[in-house]
Amino acid sequence: MPIQRCRPLFPFLLMSAMTGTRAEETPLLLENISVIGNYNIRLGTSDAASQGVVTRNLIESRPALRTGELLEFVPNLIVSQHSGNGKANQYYLRGFNLDHGTDFATFVDGVPVNMRTHAHGQGYTDLNFLIPELVNRIEYKKGPYFAEEGDFASAGSARMQLLNQLPGSIASVTFGNYGYQRYLLANSVDLSGFNLLYGLEVNRNNGPWDNAENLKKISGLLRFSGGSLHDGFNLTAMAYHNQWDATDQIPLRAVQSDATGRFDTIDRTNGGVSSRYSISLARYLQDKQGAFDFNIYALHSKLDLYSNFTYFLNNPADGDQFNQNEQRTSVGFNLSKTWFTEAFGLTMQNKVGLQTRYDDLSPVALFNAANGQRTALIRSDKLKELSNALFAENSTQWHEKFRTVLGLRYDQYHFSVNSSIAANSGKAKDHITSPKLSFIFGPWAQTEFFINYGEGFHSNDARGTTQTVLPNGEAASAVTPLAASKGSEIGVRTEIIPHLQSAFALWQLDLDSELLYIGDAGETAPTRASQRKGIEWSNHYMANDWLMLDFDVALSEARYRQNDGAGKYIPGSLGRVISLGATFNPADRWSGAIQVRHFGPRPLVEDNSIQSRSTTVAYARIGYQLYKNIKLTLDIFNLFNRKQSDIDYYYASRLNGEDLDSVKDKHFHPIEPMNARLTFNYNF
């Protein structure tokens, strides 16, 4: 469908115009372009081939087994799970096993989701608090090429924007296999020119597990907004509480010997309770001279998690269960100002921004446990972590077919740790400067070209920045607070074939310090420097006005830059992702979608002598509009009932009754068997 857009000088305003939010109605130079389907590749306005926007239409059209799978709308990003569905998901992108979110930054209305110095994993990204029907768009970027993105954004970032107003009220009920129930109520109310949006979701699920998950989840949102699309505000309160019993990964030998079933667990007392409460205020203004954006937020979250990954290895009598617990309060704000100017006959866009965040953990603690009860304290830390960032970015149109984007970012971190292990108490600080540079050529014949370079970083756990001794008494060295990364990319995107948007990128990323999963501790730890490189190819084809086809493929290679004798392969690094899908919405009452994702084998040890298997899984949806305001939707997951894994690890463990020596083995968490969910949706 044709729309109008500004010339490349104004990508900030154009992005808003194309996604239907906060658009500036400006008389600046305009020309016609096409937006195909529900992905906005934004020919002529993006700063990288691997950047884009996903609209609400596409989000609504496809089934999702878990809330975290919202991030799978980012091309070639894989979302899985290795434990209960109350935890953050496991993420894969660009040769990374991102664990629960490290090196991929996620935001909801500018509020960071990644939790630093988290009890379970650095960068922990739990999206279970979201109500998917209230997400308006997802803006994604890959690589460290963007001055606005800082901590955890080396592999990329996703910024989710919520609706201010629903186009129609929603009341829906979903029932599915394994006791799945979901109830949703959401509506917008006009209040004398202002708008009140509310949403409430209640979810129950046992899952296919022999030890029922007993998931009990409730999420709520209340948003008050006013003004216009280009001059307005919103005030948002969100609440979330979840509790569940977990089925963690299990050893392959236990299944092969029939000691346990594929969907069974070794420790039936694993599980957790999680909660998150937040309030945020956003103010935005856009006019012919520029733009202003400001948001401030405060949130309080808790996690109480029981896990057991090695079973009876370290404690043959009571088992190796451990408890991770934290209580966190985070506050922060983001401020940016954009100016549109001319200098020396060149049109420019200049943007500066300030970001600050303060985390208070009182405490973050680790305990030994047995049968869901704490037995001994390993360590407990009260800590404070403060970060401040300043960034600036200049976009200059040197020629009708040539533009540059030059950015610079400065981050400063302060850590204060008060540990139950006195020798580990202390303070630390660090800073890092990250330059960015992009060259954009074209478009010619509906084709444009990109060259990108950027430096970024991820922060490490604050407890490691002051440590001198491990809980077992062994001496330990402090870790580098901020681990730098350097990335580069050459890309092209084109619409030269009618109705087809295609993007291709060749990229490389170097990290000064890799974070590695440690099976017997259920944690990640800094390790050797690494290099990743790969190619990505994304395609979105609008076959006609009711059928869109997708095909994405990514190939990558991940290696340590130094060989210490163990090998250079990075355990868990993903080498191949392929996804294809079709979304249809004809003029009659029927609609539907099918999506197939494949992610290839991964090395599980440094010498690549042991690998995981590949996983291929399909989802399908069929919808029927019974009446104008009543719709039935049937979602089917694992359509072909494949017996494969969501995730695989290789490490030492011991089952009850085995010899006291440890056994190294593959440990896996299976994908759920074929199951269906039926939704009755009423728009009142």
Side-chain angles (χ1 to χ4, degrees), residues 83-101:
S83 187
N85 283 316
K87 282 177 60 176
N89 292 100
Q90 203 87 14
Y91 307 100
Y92 299 91
L93 179 69
R94 286 201 162 185
F96 280 93
N97 176 351
L98 294 161
D99 194 48
H100 294 292

Side-chain angles (χ1 to χ4, degrees), residues 18 27 163 176 187 311 403 446 452 470 472 495:
M18 295 184 68
L163 289 163
N187 194 17
Y311 321 121
R403 176 169 57 95
Q446 298 297 301
N452 306 98
L470 297 177
N472 62 9
E495 294 181 13

Side-chain angles (χ1 to χ4, degrees), residues 313-380:
L313 176 63
N314 301 311
N315 187 341
D318 297 324
D320 298 349
Q321 189 179 69
F322 57 94
N323 170 241
Q324 295 164 314
N325 178 271
E326 74 159 66
Q327 297 187 56
R328 176 190 305 264
T329 299
S330 299
V331 295
F333 70 85
N334 304 287
L335 171 68
S336 68
K337 174 66 177 176
T338 305
W339 296 271
F340 305 135
T341 62
E342 289 193 15
F344 309 107
L346 302 173
T347 53
M348 296 183 181
Q349 173 180 297
N350 296 296
K351 183 177 182 179
V352 297
L354 176 65
Q355 300 167 345
T356 188
R357 175 177 171 179
Y358 174 75
D359 288 69
D360 185 340
L361 285 93
S362 300
V364 54
L366 179 64
F367 299 85
N368 285 324
N371 300 315
Q373 300 293 323
R374 298 171 183 169
T375 57
L377 175 67
I378 298 174
R379 68 177 296 175
S380 177

